[in-house]
Amino acid sequence: MKTKIWILNYQLLTLCSTPEFSTGDESCSIQLIDGDGSFNDTGIEHFIKEVKLHECGLSYAVVSIMGPQSSGKSTLLNHLFYTNFREMDAFKGRSQTTKGIWMAKCAGLEPCTLVMDLEGTDGRERGEDDTAFEKQSALFALAVSDIVLINMWCHDIGREQAANKPLLKTVFQMMMRLFSPRKTTLMFVIRDKTRTPLENLEPVLREDIQKIWDSVPKPQAHKETPLSEFFNVEVVALSSYEEKEEQFKEQVSNLRQRFFHSIAPGGIAGDRRGVVPASGFSFSAQQIWKVMVATVRCEEIANEKFAAFTANENWCLLEEAVQSGPVAGFGKKLNSILYESLSEYDAEATYFDEGVRSAKQKQLEEKLLQLVQPAHQSMLGHLRSGTLEKFKEAFEKALNGGERFSLAACNCTESYISLFDEGCADAVVELANWDCSKVRDKLRRDVDAHVASVRAAKLSVLTSSYEAKLNEAIAGPVEALLDGANNDTWPSIKKLLQRETESAVSGLSSALSGFDIDAETKEKMLSSIQDYARGVVEAKAREEAGRVLIRMKDRFSTLFNHDSDSMPRVWTGKEDIRAITRTARSASLKLLSVMAAIRLDDNVDDIENTLTSALVDTKNNAAVTDRSITTFDPLASSTWEQVPPAKTLITPVQCKSLWRQFRAETEYSEASKRNNNWMPPPWAIVALVVLGFNEFMTLLRNPLYLGVIFVGYLVMKALWVQLDISGEFRRGVLPGLLSISTKFLPTVMNLLRKLAEQGQSPATNYPQTNPGAESKSFQSGSSSMASSASSGITAPRNDIEYSSSSKEE
């Protein structure tokens, strides 16, 4: 029944000869596709026979036109190709005229040219949401046509919807996915041209088309394919048909000439690649329409399922949950939602072309996987961070439990990497071939980095502990050995250093065996601990060398004031003070020679002999002091022979300066002991008794004089103690006098203040004490004042002496 209706429709609508055009050619038309999208397969067969298309072979062309509804498409075709498509009656209002797709043979054109008039886009009859037929018909026209006319109003140039930009964007995208490149001519026909020159309108159109092409997502095969590979773009402009009809007809007549011999080389029809023979045109068009219908409908179904998936409550809850932490059974839950969405697509698209259905299903899968991939990555990120934290806790617990470092690191790493792999298996998305190796490698790098940081911290603590032990074991003994400097000092220090270093290296080597470090790193650490031990000795030696002058004076004082049994000397006046002084100075010079250089190697030096010959030998000293004789000074140098500068603690010139200062500060001790025999000779004592008899009797008759003399003695004694006169003069006569002169007045004032305080105390608290008690109290108070004043003055003196020594050193 349907076939009969189509035949009747064909017979009614076929017109042979058009009265309006005087060409004499036949112009026949047929409704190829109705408004519901049904393809008129029977009608097209009759049409092809009627126009004898099967006799044309490859010598035929297909032209189609698309554009907004009521934009004058049919009118243009009728004037351009002498067809008889139904035109809109302006007096009845603007409404849809062409429904579906109509086809007609052009009259008077060579070669045989078929023209298709497409239903207008953006029509109110179909509504704003029903664009499926528009896409199908536009894509069909592009697929079967050599030339596509795009009809548009001049004032619509630059607009988004009226210029068919969204439709073209969709068509371009589908063309690249479904067809191999076939160059089609796109001719933009600008209707009702205004005063704006075509030269200004054409660049805007070409730029818009290029932007649409650039914005279209392209398959991998056409990522770099230019627009010119698919389309030739032409732009023409026509005047208003209603206002300038004669000018319009003239312009259309000129345009018609371009369609003669359109398929010839260089013609308007393009390169004609993949042209279907005329005998197969009917079948090819029918199959293409099926594909177009399937493509558009399957895409709509896919879009619906994608939108439904994004709004799926289970997916939303799963996506929200995975943002805050890992989700148990993530892969199973997500796979269930994905399979449900794809199953719904299959159920609705099952009756469409299998190839198109599968392609659109693949695209749907890609979109869904692209949507869920961030959630999957978040899941893997949570797994990685959670596994890393668990590893750190387990690793620290194993180390605190006494497990060897390398064993604990190996066991924990293997255990928690396996735990991560289990989590990845639970989160796998079956539809995707996503590789978790990058996240796994990141976890492995994080684990290795943590192990390395803990190893470094442990090794640092271990090294620091051995360094502290070495410092404690070496620093004190080295200081003691240098304090008692003699010929065995440096050999003893070398033995001490070797013994403690070997002990530390052995202990550290055993401790390092549990850290699984390479031999080179281990050797460096052991070498570092050896260098540290040697550095402790050298640092201590330099520290002691800075106090060598104090050490020399202490040694001189000890040997000068004590005998061979280390007992304090009792000076009787019969001692050989010069010999004692010489011995003490030789010992001090020995200390200076020992402290002059670091002798941890087996090198031999001649520092002691050089110092002895230059500073102690009397012949050399006489030669040096004799200004009339010029001799070589071995100490006039900044380096020692056979001693590297890095091992030098005190240079020769510094030794000379220190010795000069040392002698100046020790000369007073020798001089004072030489003059220590203060008792006068016997004849002087007899003379004093005879001549001072009267004065002695006067003192006996007046005890008050004795009290005054006694008080004066106490005051002088207190001043002697507080000023430390004997100690001050050890540094030399002139320094002693200067120091005493600066301290004399403050000391006297301090004594007077103490006496006043002591005198007021018994008068206030004990008014009835006897004179004997007062005298005793005065003596005790004077002694205490002397002691306290002495301690108050001694401290500053030591500070001054230390400061002076520091400057000299």
Side-chain angles (χ1 to χ4, degrees):
M1 183 66 180
K2 184 177 181 181
T3 303
K4 292 180 179 180
I5 294 174
W6 269 107
I7 295 174
L8 178 62
N9 187 35
Y10 169 76
Q11 292 172 346
L12 291 174
L13 292 174
T14 299
L15 302 176
C16 300
S17 78
T18 303
E20 185 177 355
F21 305 108
S22 59
T23 61
D25 294 334
E26 277 192 353
S27 176
C28 300
S29 61
I30 182 177
Q31 188 178 28
L32 183 63
I33 299 171
D34 65 14
D36 296 328
S38 300
F39 191 88
N40 188 359
D41 50 353
T42 305
I44 194 173
E45 292 292 342
H46 287 282
F47 175 80
I48 290 174
K49 291 179 180 179
E50 192 70 28
V51 300
K52 301 178 181 180
L53 180 64
H54 60 278
E55 299 176 1
C56 297
L58 298 177
S59 182
Y60 73 99
V62 180
V63 181
S64 59
I65 188 169
M66 65 177 67
Q69 177 177 299
S70 304
S71 62
K73 299 188 300 299
S74 299
T75 301
L76 174 62
L77 293 180
N78 289 339
H79 284 82
L80 183 61
F81 299 111
Y82 300 166
T83 55
N84 57 359
F85 293 120
R86 180 185 174 190
E87 299 179 12
M88 182 189 70
D89 189 350
F91 293 100
K92 294 182 179 180
R94 307 186 70 84
S95 60
Q96 186 182 53
T97 304
T98 303
K99 295 183 179 180
I101 299 176
W102 288 75
M103 177 180 282
K105 177 186 177 185
C106 302
L109 282 181
E110 289 295 337
C112 179
T113 301
L114 304 179
V115 62
M116 294 191 300
D117 187 9
L118 275 64
E119 179 180 317
T121 61
D122 198 18
R124 65 179 180 85
E125 285 78 8
R126 289 192 180 270
E128 61 180 10
D129 296 328
D130 190 6
T131 60
F133 186 81
E134 294 179 3
K135 294 178 182 179
Q136 296 168 13
S137 58
L139 192 56
F140 174 75
L142 285 170
V144 301
S145 302
D146 301 296
I147 305 167
V148 177
L149 304 180
I150 300 176
N151 199 55
M152 59 187 303
W153 297 110
C154 183
H155 55 261
D156 286 339
I157 295 177
R159 296 181 180 179
E160 187 68 21
Q161 297 296 333
N164 294 300
K165 290 182 181 178
L167 183 60
L168 284 177
K169 186 174 182 179
T170 303
V171 167
F172 286 169
Q173 185 174 352
M174 292 183 177
M175 279 284 290
M176 286 184 294
R177 290 183 178 178
L178 298 176
F179 304 102
S180 59
R182 177 178 182 270
K183 188 172 290 187
T184 303
T185 298
L186 296 180
M187 178 175 287
F188 288 84
V189 182
I190 302 174
R191 304 293 297 275
D192 293 359
K193 177 181 168 301
T194 62
R195 293 182 180 180
T196 305
L198 179 61
E199 293 77 10
N200 296 341
L201 296 174
E202 183 174 353
V204 177
L205 275 174
R206 290 185 180 275
E207 183 180 356
D208 289 345
I209 294 298
Q210 186 63 48
K211 287 181 179 179
I212 295 173
W213 178 263
D214 294 339
S215 65
V216 168
K218 302 176 180 66
Q220 191 63 36
H222 297 303
K223 283 288 185 183
E224 305 299 330
T225 303
L227 173 65
S228 59
E229 188 72 19
F230 277 92
F231 302 102
N232 289 325
V233 178
E234 300 279 347
V235 179
V236 296
L238 301 176
S239 299
S240 172
Y241 174 68
E242 295 180 356
E243 297 178 3
K244 300 178 181 180
E245 182 176 355
E246 294 302 325
Q247 189 175 356
F248 171 80
K249 291 180 178 180
E250 181 181 356
Q251 293 170 349
V252 170
S253 178
N254 293 333
L255 179 60
R256 175 181 171 83
Q257 299 303 315
R258 299 187 63 184
F259 288 88
F260 281 94
H261 308 294
S262 59
I263 64 174
I268 196 174
D271 59 6
R272 304 280 289 170
R273 281 181 291 179
V275 178
V276 178
S279 59
F281 178 79
S282 173
F283 178 78
S284 175
Q286 186 175 356
Q287 295 303 314
I288 289 175
W289 177 251
K290 289 182 180 180
V291 171
M292 297 303 103
V293 173
T295 299
V296 174
R297 184 60 189 131
C298 289
E299 183 171 358
E300 288 181 345
I301 296 173
N303 291 337
E304 291 173 2
K305 299 311 169 186
F306 181 79
F309 182 90
T310 57
N312 186 286
E313 182 179 0
N314 293 332
W315 158 245
C316 293
L317 293 175
L318 183 63
E319 184 182 27
E320 182 179 357
V322 82
Q323 298 301 321
S324 58
V327 178
F330 174 84
K332 183 178 180 180
K333 295 177 181 178
L334 182 57
N335 288 325
S336 175
I337 304 172
L338 288 172
Y339 284 133
E340 180 181 357
S341 179
L342 293 175
S343 298
E344 293 176 357
Y345 170 85
D346 286 337
E348 294 188 29
T350 185
Y351 297 107
F352 294 101
D353 182 80
E354 182 179 358
V356 176
R357 184 178 72 244
S358 299
K360 292 302 177 181
Q361 183 182 33
K362 186 65 176 177
Q363 294 177 19
L364 175 61
E365 286 182 13
E366 292 175 357
K367 290 178 65 177
L368 291 175
L369 293 178
Q370 187 176 4
L371 176 67
V372 304
Q373 189 173 23
H376 183 258
Q377 290 296 321
S378 297
M379 181 65 186
L380 295 183
H382 292 313
L383 285 174
R384 183 189 63 80
S385 58
T387 304
L388 181 61
E389 292 303 318
K390 292 178 181 178
F391 167 80
K392 291 179 179 179
E393 294 175 3
F395 186 45
E396 183 178 2
K397 185 177 180 180
L399 293 178
N400 294 336
E403 192 172 349
R404 291 181 60 184
F405 186 91
S406 58
L407 183 61
C410 181
N411 292 340
C412 291
T413 299
E414 292 181 358
S415 175
Y416 285 91
I417 290 295
S418 299
L419 181 64
F420 174 79
D421 292 338
E422 294 175 3
C424 288
D426 181 63
V428 68
V429 179
E430 297 176 358
L431 291 174
N433 189 25
W434 291 332
D435 188 7
C436 300
S437 61
K438 291 184 178 180
V439 183
R440 189 179 190 274
D441 293 342
K442 178 65 169 60
L443 173 62
R444 189 59 183 256
R445 289 194 300 271
D446 292 342
V447 167
D448 292 342
H450 180 71
V451 171
S453 65
V454 174
R455 180 189 291 112
K458 294 287 185 182
L459 291 177
S460 178
V461 171
L462 184 64
T463 304
S464 298
S465 67
Y466 275 93
E467 289 177 351
K469 291 178 182 178
L470 278 173
N471 189 69
E472 182 180 358
I474 292 177
V478 168
E479 182 178 353
L481 289 171
L482 292 175
D483 185 34
N486 53 47
N487 291 331
D488 294 330
T489 296
W490 284 108
S492 299
I493 292 176
K494 287 171 61 177
K495 291 181 181 179
L496 171 69
L497 175 63
Q498 183 178 3
R499 181 178 69 251
E500 296 299 333
T501 301
E502 289 178 354
S503 175
V505 167
S506 176
L508 181 60
S509 179
S510 299
L512 292 178
S513 61
F515 283 90
D516 192 24
I517 58 176
D518 57 275
E520 183 179 357
T521 303
K522 183 177 181 180
E523 188 63 30
K524 287 182 179 179
M525 295 184 67
L526 297 179
S527 178
S528 175
I529 203 70
Q530 292 174 346
D531 295 340
Y532 177 81
R534 192 180 184 95
V536 170
V537 173
E538 294 182 357
K540 198 64 184 177
R542 295 185 188 280
E543 180 184 344
E544 294 301 314
R547 297 197 292 263
V548 66
L549 184 59
I550 299 175
R551 298 288 191 190
M552 291 169 65
K553 291 191 293 184
D554 290 345
R555 175 167 291 193
F556 177 84
S557 177
T558 300
L559 295 178
F560 188 80
N561 294 310
H562 295 78
D563 57 18
S564 59
D565 296 328
S566 300
M567 298 297 293
R569 292 185 188 275
V570 178
W571 299 98
T572 62
K574 299 178 181 180
E575 292 83 0
D576 186 353
I577 296 178
R578 288 185 178 276
I580 294 173
T581 301
R582 189 181 303 111
T583 302
R585 285 179 177 170
S586 297
S588 299
L589 185 66
K590 179 68 177 178
L591 187 146
L592 180 62
S593 67
V594 171
M595 297 296 297
I598 298 172
R599 300 176 178 88
L600 293 178
D601 300 321
D602 296 330
N603 299 332
V604 179
D605 60 71
D606 200 29
I607 294 177
E608 183 176 2
N609 293 335
T610 302
L611 290 176
T612 301
S613 62
L615 301 177
V616 177
D617 193 344
T618 55
K619 294 181 180 180
N620 288 343
N621 289 339
V624 171
T625 55
D626 189 355
R627 295 182 179 179
S628 62
I629 303 175
T630 303
T631 59
F632 171 71
D633 186 359
L635 299 183
S637 174
S638 61
T639 57
W640 298 104
E641 293 184 3
Q642 301 176 342
V643 178
K647 303 299 181 183
T648 300
L649 298 176
I650 308 172
T651 64
V653 69
Q654 289 174 338
C655 288
K656 185 175 182 179
S657 176
L658 287 170
W659 184 255
R660 186 183 298 113
Q661 186 176 353
F662 167 74
R663 289 197 56 156
E665 295 182 7
T666 56
E667 284 177 351
Y668 174 75
S669 297
E670 180 182 1
S672 64
K673 295 305 178 183
R674 288 180 181 177
N675 298 326
N676 197 34
N677 191 9
W678 54 272
M679 290 295 292
W683 60 268
I685 295 175
V686 173
L688 286 173
V689 171
V690 173
L691 297 175
F693 180 75
N694 293 333
E695 287 76 7
F696 180 71
M697 293 304 294
T698 301
L699 291 175
L700 290 178
R701 293 190 189 99
N702 299 282
L704 183 60
Y705 289 162
L706 291 175
V708 173
I709 293 172
F710 182 69
V711 170
Y713 167 76
L714 292 178
V715 172
M716 294 303 294
K717 180 66 175 177
L719 287 173
W720 182 278
V721 172
Q722 289 193 15
L723 293 174
D724 192 20
I725 293 175
S726 60
E728 293 293 345
F729 277 98
R730 288 197 194 103
R731 305 170 58 193
V733 177
L734 183 59
L737 289 175
L738 292 174
S739 179
I740 291 172
S741 65
T742 57
K743 296 189 296 182
F744 180 78
L745 184 59
T747 303
V748 171
M749 297 300 296
N750 188 35
L751 280 175
L752 293 177
R753 182 174 59 80
K754 292 288 186 180
L755 287 173
E757 291 175 357
Q758 292 293 331
Q760 291 175 1
S761 178
T764 303
N765 298 327
Y766 305 101
Q768 298 180 350
T769 54
N770 55 36
E774 290 179 1
S775 175
K776 187 174 181 181
S777 174
F778 176 76
Q779 296 176 11
S780 175
S782 300
S783 301
S784 63
M785 283 190 295
S787 176
S788 62
S790 174
S791 64
I793 299 299
T794 303
R797 184 193 66 79
N798 290 337
D799 293 340
I800 295 171
E801 181 178 349
Y802 178 77
S803 176
S804 175
S805 301
S806 300
K807 291 179 180 179
E808 293 161 356
E809 292 169 329

